Amino acid sequence: MIKVLLADDQGLVRAGFRALLDAQPDIEVVGEADDGEQAVEQARRLRPDVILMDIRMPVLDGLAATRRIASDERLGGVRIVILTTFELDEYVFEALRGGASGFLVKDTEPVELIHAVRAVAAGDALLSPSVTRRLIAEFAAKAREPIVSPRLNSLTDREREVMTLVGAGLSNEEIARRLVVSPATAKTHVSRTMIKLGARDRAQLVVFAYESGLVKPGWLP
């Protein structure tokens, strides 16, 4: 059973999401929070698999709540999906940097919301290649200057190459074609790179690739 925590200051939004998700045989809404502070407290108490987190909430906003949860080692298995009104909300990139696994617009179709919860619970990131490219293009100029992390030294040349392609928005299948390897091999390289860098998921790998300078604005193959 996938346990979900809803964090949104609008009761009607939470009620709608709860009705939809609780109707699924493999999903259970285990708690609700109407501000970021409550979201952090309930995440620690309930240990949900997925949190649907609104950005704009009182007391503590969704960005700060996401950072707190993502930095808590006890909550390493908790995945956060940011809810936003606009697909390219100015805070989305900050949310991904802070530890979110992806984002959804609030008027997402019900079937897409259900798929998103299942995908994130399974360890996938809600970042399609096209969205990754647009995020980099829109927000890269606003991000901090690239800092070369010493953790990059742990990567092989092939893993650096794979990380660069992930950061540029390529899927495992596209990476496989680019490197002339099987999709399974590409997936293995991605997984090993995430482990070495301590990335929670693919979304974190994308952010790390940009912030380390491996991917630059405008370099979108």
Side-chain angles (χ1 to χ4, degrees), residues 64-83:
T66 294
R67 285 193 292 269
R68 286 194 191 179
I69 293 169
S71 63
D72 190 330
E73 294 183 358
R74 297 168 297 177
L75 302 178
V78 177
R79 297 289 177 259
I80 300 170
V81 176
I82 293 296
L83 299 173

Side-chain angles (χ1 to χ4, degrees), residues 22-68:
D22 275 345
Q24 307 308 309
D26 59 335
I27 300 174
E28 177 187 9
V29 175
V30 294
E32 297 184 22
D34 58 17
D35 64 57
E37 194 72 55
Q38 286 185 15
V40 175
E41 293 174 357
Q42 293 208 40
R44 290 171 176 163
R45 181 170 60 86
L46 300 172
R47 304 294 175 90
D49 300 300
V50 178
I51 301 176
L52 297 182
M53 180 87 74
D54 188 22
I55 288 182
R56 296 170 179 81
M57 292 187 291
V59 184
L60 188 70
D61 65 31
L63 291 178
T66 294
R67 285 193 292 269
R68 286 194 191 179

